[in-house]
Amino acid sequence: MDSQAEIALANFEKDFDEFLIACNELEESGVWNASEMGPAAAYFQADVFGAILQVMRADGVFERPEAEVLNAMFGTSYTPRQLSELYHSIDPVLRSYLNEDADDALTMLKDLDPELADSYRNLLLEACRIVSLADGVAEKSERMLIAALREALA
């Protein structure tokens, strides 16, 4: 990973950690219904993770640099093969996410905290961008998927 990518990843991690703290505060204040939705931080982490898997799969191959970036973002240790297997096990859910549900989390968050929703949208798109560039080049399929996600989140 080059120094620009490392800086982008470090900035994302800092901003995402701050976002997750804000999610915990939503939950603690009673604004987030944890009994119905589960922990807020976990909900949004899963949402970002799913979007990243979609981007990783867009070019048809789960690359080691992409897996390394995802692992750095989430503190995991997936191999490209494990990510591929995970993707295929939840593929229908992920397709639904991109095609129909991409804005659900954002819409829900806008109702609770519009400023936090803007932050989340930017973080989600930035995570996808960072992963798409992990192997040095954002493939056309990855760029198109991110553009579709950006449009869905507009």
Side-chain angles (χ1 to χ4, degrees):
M1 189 177 331
D2 68 20
S3 61
Q4 275 189 324
E6 289 174 357
I7 291 169
L9 180 58
N11 288 336
F12 170 82
E13 290 172 330
K14 178 185 147 303
D15 293 343
F16 197 54
D17 285 344
E18 290 173 5
F19 172 79
L20 295 176
I21 290 168
C23 286
N24 290 335
E25 291 169 357
L26 279 180
E27 195 172 326
E28 289 168 6
S29 70
V31 173
W32 178 266
N33 186 346
S35 62
E36 183 179 314
M37 302 295 296
Y43 179 92
F44 291 103
Q45 282 178 312
D47 201 51
V48 172
F49 193 91
I52 289 171
L53 281 179
Q54 286 280 39
V55 171
M56 291 175 74
R57 178 67 173 115
D59 64 1
V61 180
F62 285 86
E63 302 279 346
R64 179 157 304 282
E66 294 170 333
E68 290 171 356
V69 169
L70 178 135
N71 287 332
M73 288 176 165
F74 291 95
T76 55
S77 57
Y78 289 108
T79 65
R81 181 182 179 142
Q82 289 170 323
L83 288 169
S84 178
E85 291 169 357
L86 176 61
Y87 175 86
H88 290 295
S89 72
I90 59 174
D91 182 36
V93 173
L94 291 175
R95 286 181 198 264
S96 173
Y97 169 83
L98 188 65
N99 295 331
E100 303 162 10
D101 303 330
D103 67 342
D104 286 355
L106 187 62
T107 300
M108 181 176 21
L109 194 52
K110 279 181 184 177
D111 291 341
L112 302 176
D113 186 328
E115 188 176 312
L116 194 57
D118 287 341
S119 174
Y120 178 68
R121 178 187 182 278
N122 294 335
L123 284 167
L124 180 63
L125 293 171
E126 179 65 3
C128 292
R129 186 189 73 81
I130 290 169
V131 170
S132 76
L133 294 170
D135 57 1
V137 176
E139 300 291 333
K140 182 178 181 180
S141 57
E142 293 169 331
R143 291 190 317 268
M144 289 174 60
L145 186 103
I146 293 169
L149 182 58
R150 182 176 289 113
E151 186 175 317
L153 297 173

